[in-house]
């Protein structure tokens, strides 16, 4: 885990939940996992005070309790950054939906009864879409705890008899507990929240939406708007059946994350895709291919033919957006596709930072796996003198690595092959670290700017000023305007960086 | 010094096949007197006049004729100069490194340098640069053109990679592929971005290497002769740049919409 990600997480928690929460999270971050006593000792806060704060942090989903210690999954802390964009996303459900999201983000989880009555239809709508899910006990209790509890209950239900040995009793209890555990795990999450069950926001659903957005943008860039609308429609068909973006998350995260039922369909027919397209998009479909369609195709048949043609293009593209299963069924291999997307986005960053030539060199290295400088220059048609400095710069940013292969037993540089290669995992982690560093700096700037104008910001919270901003002095108005501009630019920048982090971390 | 009648006849016959390497049997057939002693005497006479040179190929000894002008040149040279000249001549279009001349001839460095200076001033030899070993001084006959290994092929001008030439060719090939990919492109990239019309996925008219090579040849954009492999190398670079994509089923290339948008952005910046 990146140091900058930790620092950013602490900054966010401190800014939103205060210094005590910040200190506790920092202590847990720095030590990996901590008991309440350890936290109390190192932070010098009273144990009761620490426990109370931990309880609140558990409620809002920042801290997890595991056996007798506490941990902070760093991506949970970094989620605080996306509160704004989550509220923006909720707007699609209708006016007032952002209020529901704000409530749930503030309190972590909320019983349905405590949500204002006028917002209930929205909650139902969002629940049906799995944007809000019910939080039952299974979801926030570690698997091992649930199993232990079930085993203990099973053991108690088997009476102590002289005819049954203790080993046999244990064995029976285990078998019974395993069956009960499987049952509990398969049932959880099926019903969207109703009644007094607490509701939480489904961050996975949000991530799936963001991923779809990024993928559609990329299709638009590579194949045009019409192909993008076809791909968007395909994703609309697939989305309700997706649980989460990545399946390689650690177990403790899986238990806590509210999830949908697994085993959903992951393919779509051309007819379904067409049905999910808007009328303006359908109108664009007809003229989107240069060649005329066969004269027999008219009306809906023509549209289906055009959708198939765009799907073929999506399949043919270098990034392999879709795959065809048996002609009419279309699927998306999200793991492969996201790997390609990460590669593509990384290439864009390299191009922005080091120029076109660096991108060419990187792609040659990636295609040839390992290549020496001379061969690199020959393939990329660039003089060796020009590429050496570029390669060194790229090496410093972990974009490429250098492998030394001695020709003989001697470790003489003159008789050694120097082969360049690209290690995507290393390169992406380095980039992610840079992104966290930039985010940390941006957020620290925002906090510093806010601190500088703390008196003015406090004044802005006054009811009379809210009602009549004209009460502010001209100098204050100017300062406020300056602050708003800084805040806006920092937030835009943070949004962009967060999107980049999501692509490399969450998708 | 004049040659005898038999020797003159043999020399004239040999000159007919200038670059041919003659074995003793070949020479025997060229003269009317089949006596081997007579032949040896004629070869000795030609060798004394520097009109023939002895070449060892495999285990055989072969003879190569030298023109009278070249023989006159050789006779005018000192023994060391002649030796150095012969090594340079033997190296052909690949040239020879000064260090190799020194090792082969066993002459002192200063002697070799003096000979090279003298031969160069008489315009018999020339120094060339090798793209592979730019620091080495390589000599070859003044009348010869350096080999591709030495010059680096069509991408090199004066032993330097001609980046402008390559970039120009890349751009021309890319524009050709764009024109073949987007039928509605009327010279303006904006048209492509506005129309955003794709070809039918079954379309087979995208240009392949042969077509692109033909286009480059016919448009006379390159001053040097480019082979299909050279054009393929350029297309590979376009592929790495993300400007074109490759269709495996038809071995053809098509331009990407992304590259058109990027080029259009660049053009807009230049206009601004």
């Amino acid at each position: 885990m990146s140091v900058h990600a930790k620092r950013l997480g602490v900054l966010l928690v401190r800014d939103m939940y205060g210094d005590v929460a910040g200190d506790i999270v920092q202590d847990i971050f720095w030590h990996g996992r901590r008991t309440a006593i350890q936290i109390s000792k190192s932070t010098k806060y009273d144990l009761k005070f620490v426990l109370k704060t931990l309880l609140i942090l558990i409620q809002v989903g920042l801290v997890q309790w595991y056996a007798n210690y506490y941990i902070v999954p760093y991506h949970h802390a970094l989620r605080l950054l996306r509160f704004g964009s989550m509220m923006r996303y909720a707007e699609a459900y209708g006016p007032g939906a952002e209020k529901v999201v704000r409530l749930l983000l503030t309190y972590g989880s909320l019983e349905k009864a405590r949500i204002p009555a006028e917002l209930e239809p929205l909650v139902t709508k969002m629940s049906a879409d799995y944007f809000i899910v019910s939080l039952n006990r299974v979801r926030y209790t570690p698997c091992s705890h649930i199993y232990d509890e079930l085993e203990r209950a099973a053991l108690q239900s088997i009476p102590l008899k002289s005819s049954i040995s203790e080993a046999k009793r244990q064995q029976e209890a285990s078998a019974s507990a395993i069956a009960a555990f499987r049952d509990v795990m398969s049932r959880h999450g099926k019903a969207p929240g109703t009644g007094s069950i607490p509701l939480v926001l489904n961050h996975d659903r949000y991530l799936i939406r963001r991923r779809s957005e990024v993928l559609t943008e990329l299709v638009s860039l590579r194949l045009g708007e019409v192909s993008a609308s076809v791909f968007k429609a395909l994703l609309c068909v697939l989305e309700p059946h997706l649980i989460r973006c990545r399946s390689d998350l650690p177990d403790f995260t899986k238990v806590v994350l509210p999830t949908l039922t697994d085993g959903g369909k992951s393919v779509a027919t051309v007819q379904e895709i067409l049905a999910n397209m808007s009328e303006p998009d359908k109108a664009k479909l007809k003229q989107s291919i240069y060649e005329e369609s066969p004269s027999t195709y008219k009306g809906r048949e023509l549209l289906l033919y055009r959708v198939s043609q765009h799907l073929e293009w999506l399949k043919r593209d270098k990034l392999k957006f879709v795959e065809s299963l048996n002609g009419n069924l279309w699927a998306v291999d999200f793991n492969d596709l996201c790997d390609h997307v990460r590669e593509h986005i990384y290439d864009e960053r390299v191009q922005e930072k080091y120029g076109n030539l660096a991108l060419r060199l990187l792609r040659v290295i990636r295609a040839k796996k390992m290549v020496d400088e001379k061969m690199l220059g020959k393939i990329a048609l660039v003089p060796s003198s020009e590429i050496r400095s570029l390669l060194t710069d790229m090496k410093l940013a972990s974009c490429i690595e250098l492998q030394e292969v001695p020709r003989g037993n001697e470790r003489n540089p003159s008789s050694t092959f120097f082969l360049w290669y690209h290690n995507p995992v290393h390169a992406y982690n380095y980039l992610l670290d840079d992104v966290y560093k930039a985010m940390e700096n941006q957020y620290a700037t925002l906090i510093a700017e806010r601190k500088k104008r703390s008196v003015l910001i406090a004044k802005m919270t006054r009811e009379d000023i809210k009602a009549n901003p004209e009460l502010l002095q001209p100098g204050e108005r100017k300062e406020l305007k300056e602050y708003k501009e800084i805040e806006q630019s920092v937030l835009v920048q943070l949004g962009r960086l967060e999107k980049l982090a999501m692509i490399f971390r969450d998708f | 010094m004049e040659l005898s009648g038999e020797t003159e006849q043999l020399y004239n016959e040999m000159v007919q096949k200038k670059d041919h390497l003659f074995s003793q049997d070949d020479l025997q057939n060229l003269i009317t007197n089949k006596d081997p002693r007579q032949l040896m005497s004629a070869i000795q006479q030609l060798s004394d006049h520097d009109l023939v040179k002895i070449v060892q190929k495999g285990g055989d000894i072969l003879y190569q004729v030298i023109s009278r002008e070249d023989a006159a040149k050789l006779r005018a040279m000192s023994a060391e100069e002649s030796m150095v000249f012969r090594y340079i001549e033997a190296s052909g279009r690949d040239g020879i490194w000064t260090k190799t001349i020194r090792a082969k001839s066993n002459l002192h460095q200063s002697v070799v340098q003096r000979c090279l200076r003298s031969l160069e001033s008489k315009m018999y030899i020339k120094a060339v640069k090798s793209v592979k070993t730019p620091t080495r001084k390589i000599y070859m006959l003044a009348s010869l053109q350096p080999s591709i290994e030495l010059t680096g092929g069509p991408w090199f001008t004066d032993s330097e990679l001609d980046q402008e030439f390559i970039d120009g060719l890349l751009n021309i090939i890319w524009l050709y592929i764009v024109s073949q990919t987007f039928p509605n492109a009327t010279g303006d990239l904006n048209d492509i971005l506005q129309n955003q019309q794709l070809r039918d996925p079954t379309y087979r008219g995208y240009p392949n290497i042969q077509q692109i090579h033909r286009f480059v040849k016919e448009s006379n954009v390159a001053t040097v002769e480019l082979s299909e492999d050279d054009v393929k190398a350029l297309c590979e670079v376009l592929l790495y740049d993300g400007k074109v994509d490759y269709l495996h089923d038809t071995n053809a290339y098509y331009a990407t919409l992304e590259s058109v948008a990027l080029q259009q952005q660049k053009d807009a910046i230049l206009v601004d």
Side-chain angles (χ1 to χ4, degrees):
Chain A
M1 183 184 156
S2 158
V3 175
H4 298 293
K6 283 181 189 173
R7 285 189 189 152
L8 177 64
V10 172
L11 264 182
L12 287 163
V13 174
R14 200 180 291 279
D15 188 38
M16 290 195 186
Y17 298 101
D19 285 340
V20 180
D23 288 343
I24 290 173
V25 167
Q26 184 173 346
D27 189 55
I28 301 173
F29 262 154
W30 255 241
H31 292 91
R33 60 186 199 185
R34 296 289 264 177
T35 61
I37 298 166
Q38 284 172 327
I39 296 170
S40 168
K41 270 185 188 169
S42 57
T43 56
K44 311 270 190 270
Y45 291 125
D46 184 61
L47 183 60
K48 278 184 186 172
F49 195 46
V50 168
L51 285 168
K52 267 186 189 172
T53 314
L54 282 170
L55 184 66
I56 292 164
L57 291 174
I58 289 171
Q59 275 176 346
V60 294
L62 276 173
V63 172
Q64 285 173 8
W65 175 62
Y66 200 85
N68 61 344
Y69 52 81
Y70 298 88
I71 55 167
V72 182
Y74 78 100
H75 53 274
H76 283 205
L78 300 184
R79 271 181 195 167
L80 297 173
L81 266 178
R82 54 173 98 127
F83 280 13
S85 65
M86 280 189 94
M87 282 195 272
R88 188 169 56 81
Y89 267 77
E91 282 168 9
Y93 293 102
E98 80 280 1
K99 280 184 198 165
V100 179
V101 174
R102 190 180 295 150
L103 275 171
L104 289 171
L105 288 172
T106 311
Y107 295 105
S109 60
L110 211 59
E111 284 173 11
K112 201 172 180 181
R114 290 181 61 194
I115 291 173
E118 70 271 17
L119 297 176
E120 259 186 47
L122 279 170
V123 173
T124 314
K125 202 174 167 186
M126 289 158 95
S127 297
D129 202 20
Y130 292 101
F131 193 61
I132 290 176
V133 286
S134 59
L135 180 73
N136 56 41
R137 200 183 139 267
V138 175
R139 287 211 182 93
Y140 55 86
T141 312
C143 291
S144 57
H145 287 210
I146 298 167
Y147 180 78
D148 286 347
E149 212 170 277
L150 290 168
E151 198 183 41
R152 214 176 300 128
L155 205 60
Q156 276 170 5
S157 66
I158 304 168
L160 279 165
K161 282 182 194 167
S162 56
S163 57
I164 306 173
S165 69
E166 187 55 29
K168 177 100 177 158
R169 203 168 150 255
Q170 283 280 357
Q171 207 179 348
E172 276 181 23
S174 296
S176 162
I178 287 168
F181 180 76
R182 282 188 183 147
D183 184 47
V184 168
M185 296 313 279
S186 65
R187 270 189 290 111
H188 95 273
K190 274 188 177 172
T194 49
S196 62
I197 300 170
L199 302 176
V200 287
L201 279 175
N202 188 353
H203 289 267
D204 282 338
R205 179 75 22 204
Y206 166 78
L207 282 179
I208 288 170
R209 294 247 172 97
R210 288 300 302 264
R211 182 177 70 178
S212 300
E213 195 184 86
V214 168
L215 294 177
T216 313
E217 263 175 36
L218 204 58
V219 173
S220 174
L221 201 67
R222 289 186 68 80
L223 295 170
E225 282 173 18
V226 185
S227 295
S229 66
V230 170
F231 188 67
K232 193 178 170 186
L234 168 66
L235 292 179
C236 281
V237 180
L238 301 182
E239 259 179 29
H241 309 284
L242 299 174
I243 295 172
R244 54 169 69 86
C245 287
R246 289 177 66 163
S247 53
D248 56 345
L249 293 172
D251 274 347
F252 68 82
T253 321
K254 276 184 190 170
V255 176
V256 174
L257 285 176
T259 58
L260 305 181
T261 49
D262 204 350
K265 141 179 113 152
S266 57
V267 290
T269 61
V270 180
Q271 288 80 1
E272 282 174 316
I273 296 167
L274 183 64
N276 271 281
M277 287 182 75
S278 65
E279 286 308 317
D281 287 341
K282 281 181 190 171
K284 283 181 196 165
L285 259 180
K286 286 177 191 167
Q287 299 299 321
S288 60
I289 300 285
Y290 177 72
E291 280 79 14
E292 289 288 320
S293 61
S295 55
T296 48
Y297 290 134
K298 286 206 172 78
R300 187 177 150 78
E301 272 188 344
L302 173 64
L303 292 179
L304 287 171
Y305 178 66
R306 289 292 190 226
V307 169
S308 307
Q309 284 179 314
H310 281 281
L311 287 167
E312 276 296 334
W313 266 108
L314 289 163
K315 180 183 156 190
R316 173 190 281 189
D317 192 89
K318 198 172 73 180
L319 299 189
K320 304 264 178 291
F321 287 106
V322 301
E323 54 187 46
S324 162
L325 296 183
N326 62 0
N328 192 36
L329 287 178
W330 295 88
V332 180
D333 185 340
F334 285 103
N335 289 339
D336 266 9
L337 177 57
C338 286
D339 281 345
H340 285 131
V341 170
R342 273 187 280 275
E343 196 177 290
H344 190 82
I345 303 283
Y346 188 79
D347 286 358
E348 277 182 3
R349 296 281 90 77
V350 169
Q351 193 176 21
E352 272 173 25
K353 198 169 178 185
Y354 303 105
N356 293 335
L357 187 54
L359 176 62
R360 189 189 293 174
L361 295 176
L362 174 65
R363 284 183 173 159
V364 173
I365 292 170
R366 198 185 276 140
K368 303 290 171 197
K369 310 290 182 205
M370 274 190 170
V371 59
D372 75 333
E373 200 178 280
K374 219 180 237 179
M375 185 53 78
L376 192 59
K378 209 173 169 184
I379 298 169
L381 295 179
V382 192
S384 300
S385 55
E386 252 180 68
I387 61 175
R388 196 162 300 153
S389 59
L390 254 182
L391 289 173
T392 316
D393 287 350
M394 287 159 78
K395 166 89 179 68
L396 288 175
S398 282
C399 179
I400 48 173
E401 310 285 331
L402 191 62
Q403 167 84 57
E404 293 177 19
V405 183
R407 290 180 204 189
N409 290 334
E410 289 174 20
R411 301 273 157 171
N412 205 345
S414 61
S415 60
T416 304
F417 291 112
F418 292 95
L419 303 171
W420 294 99
Y421 69 99
H422 173 65
N423 179 352
V425 176
H426 196 182
Y428 298 167
N429 281 341
Y430 196 90
L431 174 75
L432 205 53
D433 198 44
D434 264 0
V435 169
Y436 287 138
K437 193 175 175 182
M439 284 164 98
E440 184 200 341
N441 290 337
Q442 292 282 345
Y443 207 81
T445 309
L446 187 63
I447 291 171
E449 290 292 334
R450 210 181 284 158
K451 235 179 206 172
K452 238 193 269 177
R453 298 168 178 88
S454 55
V455 178
L456 180 65
I457 290 165
K459 198 173 179 182
M460 283 304 296
T461 57
R462 269 167 47 186
E463 289 301 318
D464 56 333
I465 302 284
K466 271 187 198 171
N468 186 11
E470 293 299 313
L471 291 173
L472 287 172
Q473 299 292 322
E476 286 176 328
R477 277 204 291 272
K478 193 185 164 197
E479 203 180 342
L480 188 70
K481 195 185 163 198
E482 271 174 23
Y483 169 70
K484 290 278 176 200
E485 277 170 10
I486 292 169
E487 188 187 45
Q488 200 179 354
S489 68
V490 168
L491 289 178
V492 167
Q493 193 59 25
L494 275 171
R496 281 185 194 149
L497 291 166
E498 163 67 2
K499 185 178 165 187
L500 199 59
M502 262 196 280
I503 292 169
F504 285 95
R505 183 191 59 213
D506 301 325
F507 290 175
Chain B
M1 202 164 65
E2 289 296 310
L3 300 172
S4 67
E6 277 283 324
T7 315
E8 185 71 45
Q9 186 203 341
L10 177 65
Y11 179 74
N12 287 339
E13 290 286 342
M14 286 173 84
V15 162
Q16 304 284 320
K17 297 175 180 176
K18 205 183 165 192
D19 293 324
H20 188 72
L21 291 172
F22 297 92
S23 65
Q24 197 168 332
D25 290 344
D26 294 337
L27 295 179
Q28 195 81 57
N29 293 332
L30 291 177
I31 55 169
T32 46
N33 191 342
K34 303 292 178 192
D35 184 4
R37 276 179 298 176
Q38 190 65 37
L39 178 65
M40 286 319 294
S41 149
I43 291 171
Q44 186 60 52
Q45 209 178 347
L46 287 173
S47 181
D48 292 345
H49 285 81
D50 288 325
L51 288 169
V52 74
K53 84 176 164 189
I54 299 160
V55 182
Q56 197 162 5
K57 203 172 182 185
D60 302 331
I61 289 177
L62 303 166
Y63 303 91
Q64 191 180 13
V65 70
I66 298 171
S67 68
R68 284 184 194 277
E69 295 82 45
D70 289 347
K73 267 189 219 172
L74 284 169
R75 276 201 299 277
M77 292 174 197
S78 66
E80 289 92 1
E81 281 177 357
S82 171
M83 193 192 286
V84 170
F85 182 81
R86 279 177 195 280
Y87 283 124
I88 294 171
E89 194 186 20
S91 68
R93 290 178 64 209
D94 291 333
I96 188 165
W97 185 24
T98 44
K99 210 172 169 182
T100 316
I101 300 174
R102 221 168 61 224
K104 281 188 173 179
S105 63
N106 267 333
L107 292 172
H108 192 267
Q109 189 181 354
S110 57
V111 178
V112 173
Q113 287 302 329
R114 197 183 62 227
C115 292
L116 289 171
R117 265 202 303 275
S118 162
L119 291 171
E120 212 174 352
S121 65
K122 287 174 190 164
M123 310 279 274
Y124 292 164
I125 59 166
K126 63 181 176 187
V128 286
K129 264 190 188 174
S130 163
V131 290
K132 285 180 186 167
T133 49
T135 50
R136 288 183 184 179
K137 225 171 181 190
I138 287 167
Y139 285 93
M140 67 191 304
L141 291 188
S143 54
L144 296 179
Q145 285 298 317
S147 65
I148 286 179
E149 283 74 33
L150 219 58
T151 58
W155 315 127
F156 288 82
T157 308
D158 299 332
S159 298
E160 297 273 326
L161 195 76
D162 196 342
Q163 202 64 55
E164 277 181 27
F165 173 63
I166 293 168
D167 288 346
L169 272 176
L170 285 172
N171 202 31
I172 286 162
I173 291 175
W174 177 71
L175 283 172
Y176 170 67
I177 299 173
V178 167
S179 70
Q180 299 296 304
T181 309
F182 302 101
N184 284 339
T186 52
D188 189 358
L189 298 178
N190 262 329
D191 291 346
I192 300 168
L193 295 173
Q194 275 166 13
N195 290 325
Q196 292 207 346
Q197 274 188 319
L198 298 173
R199 286 278 198 183
D200 189 319
T202 56
Y203 178 69
R204 291 287 176 270
Y206 298 115
N208 56 24
I209 287 292
Q210 288 76 26
Q211 284 165 305
I212 299 168
H213 180 239
R214 203 179 310 132
F215 162 75
V216 172
K217 213 171 174 183
E218 283 169 7
S219 56
N220 285 328
V221 286
T223 48
V224 286
E225 185 77 18
L226 292 176
S227 67
E228 270 186 25
D229 283 344
D230 296 329
V231 174
K232 195 178 176 186
L234 290 169
C235 289
E236 289 288 310
V237 170
L238 285 174
L239 206 61
Y240 289 126
D241 285 349
K243 288 190 162 186
V244 298
D245 264 347
Y246 182 66
L247 285 175
H248 290 273
D249 47 352
T250 54
N251 295 324
Y253 293 89
Y254 68 92
T256 58
L257 199 64
E258 206 176 0
S259 69
V260 175
L262 275 173
Q263 189 61 42
Q264 205 269 337
Q265 275 175 17
K266 272 187 205 167
D267 292 349
I269 291 166
L270 282 175
V271 168
D272 287 347

